Amino acid sequence: MSPPLPTIGCEQSYAMKIREDHNIRYIPYDILANILRRLPVKSLIRFQCVSKDWENLIKSPSFIRDCLHHTSRPTPLLLLSFRALTPRYRFQLLDPRSKQVLEIQNPPLIDSCRDLDIVGSCNGLVCLQVFNEKYALSLPCSSNNSGMSTSNLLLWNPTTRQFRKVPRTMEDLNARHRFGFGFSPIDNDYKIVKLKCCFAFNPAQVYSLNSGSWEEVEFENSDGKIWISSCKNVAVNGSVYWLGGKQGESDDYDFNSLVVSIDLTNLVCTSIPSPDLGSKRSRRAEIILYENKLAVLAITKSRIHLWVMEEDTCASRGRWTWTKKYTCSFCSERLYPSLLNEVTIWKNKIVYRPNGVYNEDAEGRTRFCLLDLTTNELKEFVIKNGRYDASIYTYVESHVSVAHINHREL
């Protein structure tokens, strides 16, 4: 059931204005809201100019939440980022069904940056890590010898073109980090996680969009060091997840043997065993989102396995169950599963970009593949004017604001 619309302020003001002007035909407030939530986001942005009451309604948290979950909304698109021959990034939105591509206007700091990473995409907001110094990827969110920052975090809504720069934290400049981005439904808050690549205690900090500040995260499993295997993170049901491994007796790490999670509401970090992914030599895995559940895609030379964590489990309380939902022995002459890169799942299809010489067609266009999890059917499509370092994320248009709750500018 959708949360109730605000009844104090917006509705009363709307009713009073209707009574003041008898020439205006009365439209009940709930009917008006139901009509507006069915409209495209760009129309809602324009309609904020109709009146102060419409603006308050459209910007209200309950209305934004209803719009995100409304059944008439279009299915998610794919957000692609490309680095061109010159050090310049471009963003596109792609509908894999129609193959239509929409260019997105870059936020400031992007055109002049040397490198960037998409940290995550959630409810229409995109978190970016922007590197201002060349080759700064080895020391994310650190400082160079001159004291200048090498990277910044940005929150960006490509649909509304709003963006905000996230304040930095004070910490060990030599520490390397992973980042995550997600939504806490209990707090109704968007949060960025900064997680140490290797830790035994005090692993992370969390930035809250509502408060505009950072907080420390507690770590419950303190027996031994944990290494985060990949930058890839998944946000689902109020937590952010990464694949990781634990340090053994010989100081080596059993990569992809753990799933590390951070509860965005309680600010607690825990680790749980990953599914059985096979031998270390053949093991390659990606953490992904499947039907709004945490999932792990295990990849070998000729097969793909999909493991899903059941909905009724709660990793923060130590209960979890992995279920294998899919195994595919599909193998193309050119597009072996072991070559797939930049993996995500869109409408029950694995979307990936082939590695190496197979990531472009004869005309130099970037190649993508859709592998249907139901039929094992493989389809290819190409993107014009897309070259190099393509990243793939699911994206849904929304008018979620990047301003935190007190609307202070940084």
Side-chain angles (χ1 to χ4, degrees), residues 35-105:
I35 293 173
L36 290 177
R37 71 167 60 98
R38 297 170 185 271
L39 299 179
V41 175
K42 292 183 179 180
S43 297
L44 293 176
I45 295 173
R46 293 198 303 269
F47 288 166
Q48 293 181 43
C49 301
V50 171
S51 70
K52 189 65 177 178
D53 296 319
W54 281 40
E55 181 184 10
N56 291 337
L57 167 63
I58 293 171
K59 289 184 176 180
S60 65
S62 58
F63 181 82
I64 293 175
R65 206 158 45 235
D66 281 350
C67 289
L68 285 169
H69 297 96
H70 203 277
T71 55
S72 65
R73 291 283 164 178
T75 55
L77 308 173
L78 296 178
L79 176 68
L80 311 176
S81 69
F82 294 94
R83 186 174 67 185
L85 287 174
T86 58
R88 184 178 184 275
Y89 281 83
R90 297 188 299 108
F91 290 90
Q92 297 175 330
L93 287 178
L94 168 70
D95 186 339
R97 295 172 302 178
S98 64
K99 308 298 187 297
Q100 292 184 348
V101 175
L102 174 65
E103 295 285 343
I104 305 175
Q105 179 176 325

Side-chain angles (χ1 to χ4, degrees), residues 145-204:
N145 294 331
S146 63
M148 298 295 290
S149 172
T150 58
S151 70
N152 294 287
L153 292 173
L154 293 180
L155 284 176
W156 172 42
N157 187 323
T159 304
T160 64
R161 299 182 181 179
Q162 292 180 329
F163 74 95
R164 82 177 300 106
K165 187 177 174 181
V166 176
R168 305 185 189 97
T169 60
M170 298 299 296
E171 58 192 12
D172 180 7
L173 299 182
N174 293 321
R176 298 183 63 191
H177 295 86
R178 306 299 190 195
F179 291 86
F181 177 59
F183 177 68
S184 173
I186 296 177
D187 301 333
N188 191 31
D189 193 4
Y190 294 87
K191 299 185 178 183
I192 301 172
V193 179
K194 190 173 189 178
L195 178 66
K196 292 180 181 178
C197 290
C198 183
F199 62 88
F201 55 89
N202 297 332

Side-chain angles (χ1 to χ4, degrees), residues 14-26:
Y14 175 76
M16 290 175 62
K17 289 183 181 296
I18 291 296
R19 287 195 296 270
E20 290 173 0
D21 190 344
H22 298 289
N23 294 325
I24 299 178
R25 181 172 296 179
Y26 176 72

Side-chain angles (χ1 to χ4, degrees), residues 197-245:
C197 290
C198 183
F199 62 88
F201 55 89
N202 297 332
Q205 294 173 307
V206 173
Y207 173 80
S208 162
L209 181 58
N210 282 351
S211 68
S213 60
W214 292 86
E215 293 185 61
E216 295 286 339
V217 172
E218 298 180 358
F219 184 42
E220 291 188 343
N221 309 65
S222 57
D223 53 338
K225 289 185 178 180
I226 290 178
W227 178 269
I228 304 303
S229 306
S230 171
C231 295
K232 180 77 172 183
N233 69 91
V234 167
V236 59
N237 298 329
S239 294
V240 181
Y241 299 86
W242 295 262
L243 278 176

Side-chain angles (χ1 to χ4, degrees), residues 183-368:
F183 177 68
S184 173
I186 296 177
D187 301 333
N188 191 31
D189 193 4
Y190 294 87
K191 299 185 178 183
I192 301 172
V193 179
K194 190 173 189 178
L195 178 66
K196 292 180 181 178
C197 290
C198 183
F199 62 88
F201 55 89
N202 297 332
Q205 294 173 307
V206 173
Y207 173 80
S208 162
L209 181 58
N210 282 351
S211 68
S213 60
W214 292 86
E215 293 185 61
E216 295 286 339
V217 172
E218 298 180 358
F219 184 42
E220 291 188 343
N221 309 65
S222 57
D223 53 338
K225 289 185 178 180
I226 290 178
W227 178 269
I228 304 303
S229 306
S230 171
C231 295
K232 180 77 172 183
N233 69 91
V234 167
V236 59
N237 298 329
S239 294
V240 181
Y241 299 86
W242 295 262
L243 278 176
K246 200 167 187 178
Q247 187 177 27
E249 296 180 357
S250 59
D251 291 336
D252 61 334
Y253 287 87
D254 188 5
F255 291 103
N256 301 331
S257 62
L258 294 175
V259 173
V260 177
S261 69
I262 291 184
D263 188 312
L264 296 179
T265 302
N266 300 318
L267 300 186
V268 174
C269 178
T270 59
S271 62
I272 62 175
S274 64
D276 184 7
L277 304 179
S279 65
K280 294 182 182 180
R281 291 185 178 181
S282 61
R283 179 191 301 167
R284 183 192 164 205
E286 296 280 352
I287 191 168
I288 55 175
L289 189 64
Y290 175 74
E291 295 183 347
N292 203 34
K293 300 178 184 179
L294 177 67
V296 173
L297 199 67
I299 306 163
T300 62
K301 185 175 181 179
S302 60
R303 293 191 179 186
I304 299 175
H305 309 275
L306 179 67
W307 297 82
V308 178
M309 182 179 284
E310 296 301 328
E311 281 185 349
D312 59 351
T313 61
C314 181
S316 62
R317 291 199 295 266
R319 295 183 290 113
W320 56 86
T321 302
W322 292 100
T323 302
K324 183 180 286 190
K325 293 289 186 178
Y326 172 84
T327 297
C328 172
S329 58
F330 173 86
C331 183
S332 168
E333 291 181 357
R334 295 183 305 160
L335 304 176
Y336 292 95
S338 60
L339 296 177
L340 57 85
N341 187 27
E342 297 293 342
V343 178
T344 191
I345 288 189
W346 179 85
K347 295 194 66 176
N348 210 40
K349 295 179 177 64
I350 300 176
V351 184
Y352 67 92
R353 179 174 61 92
N355 269 332
V357 296
Y358 303 120
N359 62 11
E360 294 182 1
D361 67 358
E363 300 178 14
R365 299 174 299 179
T366 300
R367 175 187 285 118
F368 292 92

